[in-house]
Amino acid sequence: MKLQDIGIEGLRARMRGGGLTLRLSPFTVRVRSDIPHLAADVAAMYHDFELAGENDFVDFHVAVLRSSHWLSRLQGRAEFWFDGQRSFTPLPAAQALTMLEWGINWCIAAHAHQYLLIHAAVLERGGRALLMPAPPGSGKSTLCAALAHRGWRLLSDELGLLDMTTGLVHGMARPINLKNASIPLIRAFAPEAVFSASMPNTSKGTVALVRAPRASIQARLTPARPAWVVLPAWRAESPAALMPIERAQAFMGLAEQSFNYDVHGQAGFQALGRLVGSCGCYRFEYSRLDEALTHFDRLAEAAPASAPDPLPEHAR
């Protein structure tokens, strides 16, 4: 059964009761909430996702609930809960959807150590995966949203899940998180995209989510083999430029954006070494999306590239 099959009222009833159990493969998440509008927001963003069965194992039990503290409740604030414990500072209930998304990201980043977790956009084309690790403000999510609506399959906007044994990268095709000026930019660029309502005054400014394209959701169980590591950077009025970089620089970019690289120690080091050793590695600067997509189309059409410098033996 898919989420769309139970209707808004059925969804709201489940979230108020025992919880809505979503298959966000490779994880299963049970969501509870007493905030009425959150049901419609979840329905819009996860419309094509499947529901787990009553007896299926649940990885993360989360909730977004009205604050129990009298002052926070008077101010219309809500709280994120994980495994029965309040986990973050209360936020306005109007930001419940972003609180849920950020909270799920935190649950995975803090607990899913069966993967090497990388803060990166991950997209696939022709069976090959593009990884774009980047800090906030780099234009990663804007570029990710544009590519996802122009022929690239979305695996992830925020969390790349690297299987250190197979070398494959997995994704969940969850919504893309856009901020501030990128919201109207992508609305104009991809009018077919499904947006949440914009949520102003968050800690990141105005935020809106974009639902993953249906084809990406349908194929979300299929991992991909990394082929490119690209470090993106938005530069005002800058012409688009894709520049090869040394593998060591790409390695550091991935390591710096990994949530649990230090947890895995030598295994994490070697996994990243193998990843960059099999990828073309680049830095990318852009200001215009149409120019940016031309570069990525050429990259996908070209034969697999290799970076100019060899990896040290111990990183292979």
Side-chain angles (χ1 to χ4, degrees):
M1 179 184 292
K2 292 187 177 180
L3 188 150
Q4 60 184 287
D5 297 327
I6 63 175
I8 295 295
E9 290 306 318
L11 175 56
R12 187 173 289 124
R14 289 197 185 197
M15 292 176 69
R16 282 186 174 275
L20 174 78
T21 309
L22 279 172
R23 290 192 188 277
L24 304 183
S25 299
F27 309 107
T28 299
V29 180
R30 181 165 292 159
V31 181
R32 294 177 52 247
S33 181
D34 58 1
I35 299 173
H37 69 82
L38 184 56
D41 293 337
V42 169
M45 292 296 101
Y46 289 96
H47 180 266
D48 296 307
F49 280 75
E50 295 174 349
L51 301 178
E54 288 289 331
N55 298 318
D56 286 4
F57 178 82
V58 175
D59 296 280
F60 306 114
H61 295 258
V62 304
V64 179
L65 304 172
R66 297 176 188 273
S67 177
S68 58
H69 187 274
W70 70 269
L71 182 57
S72 291
R73 197 175 185 89
L74 188 63
Q75 294 171 337
R77 293 184 173 268
E79 301 167 343
F80 181 83
W81 292 71
F82 169 61
D83 276 358
Q85 299 292 321
R86 187 176 67 182
S87 301
F88 301 112
T89 302
L91 294 176
Q95 298 174 13
L97 180 59
T98 57
M99 188 187 303
L100 176 63
E101 287 297 300
W102 297 343
I104 293 173
N105 286 346
W106 173 80
C107 289
I108 296 169
H111 298 91
H113 298 313
Q114 64 269 42
Y115 297 100
L116 185 64
L117 301 163
I118 304 168
H119 179 238
V122 184
L123 302 108
E124 174 268 338
R125 187 158 161 182
R128 296 182 287 171
L130 162 69
L131 280 73
M132 295 193 291
S138 300
K140 167 185 65 66
S141 294
T142 308
L143 190 54
C144 175
L147 289 167
H149 288 87
R150 290 296 186 275
W152 291 74
R153 174 169 71 95
L154 174 71
L155 278 79
S156 176
D157 167 47
E158 292 285 343
L159 291 170
L161 312 174
L162 177 65
D163 185 319
M164 295 185 293
T165 300
T166 66
L168 297 175
V169 64
H170 298 253
M172 295 171 279
R174 288 172 53 214
I176 300 168
N177 193 317
L178 296 179
K179 301 181 288 293
N180 303 315
S182 64
I183 299 170
L185 181 65
I186 294 299
R187 282 190 186 277
F189 181 83
E192 72 278 16
V194 178
F195 279 75
S196 72
S198 293
M199 290 160 276
N201 304 315
T202 76
S203 60
K204 300 181 180 182
T206 297
V207 170
L209 301 182
V210 180
R211 188 167 77 199
R214 178 171 295 173
S216 295
I217 296 172
Q218 291 173 339
R220 68 189 184 281
L221 299 182
T222 304
R225 179 75 58 186
W228 308 280
V229 177
V230 177
L231 310 183
W234 183 85
R235 301 272 188 260
E237 305 303 324
S238 173
L242 186 69
M243 298 155 281
I245 59 174
E246 294 184 350
R247 288 176 176 172
Q249 186 176 350
F251 183 103
M252 290 305 299
L254 288 163
E256 290 171 355
Q257 294 303 316
S258 173
F259 293 102
N260 61 349
Y261 174 72
D262 57 335
V263 172
H264 289 292
Q266 183 178 7
F269 177 81
Q270 292 175 336
L272 283 190
R274 291 190 296 269
L275 188 156
V276 298
S278 64
C279 289
C281 302
Y282 303 89
R283 184 174 76 253
F284 182 64
E285 296 182 357
Y286 78 102
S287 61
R288 293 176 54 87
L289 288 175
D290 52 352
E291 292 180 358
L293 265 62
T294 298
H295 281 271
F296 283 93
D297 287 343
R298 290 173 182 165
L299 193 65
E301 292 162 4
S306 60
D309 59 312
L311 280 171
E313 182 68 28
H314 59 270
R316 296 177 187 172

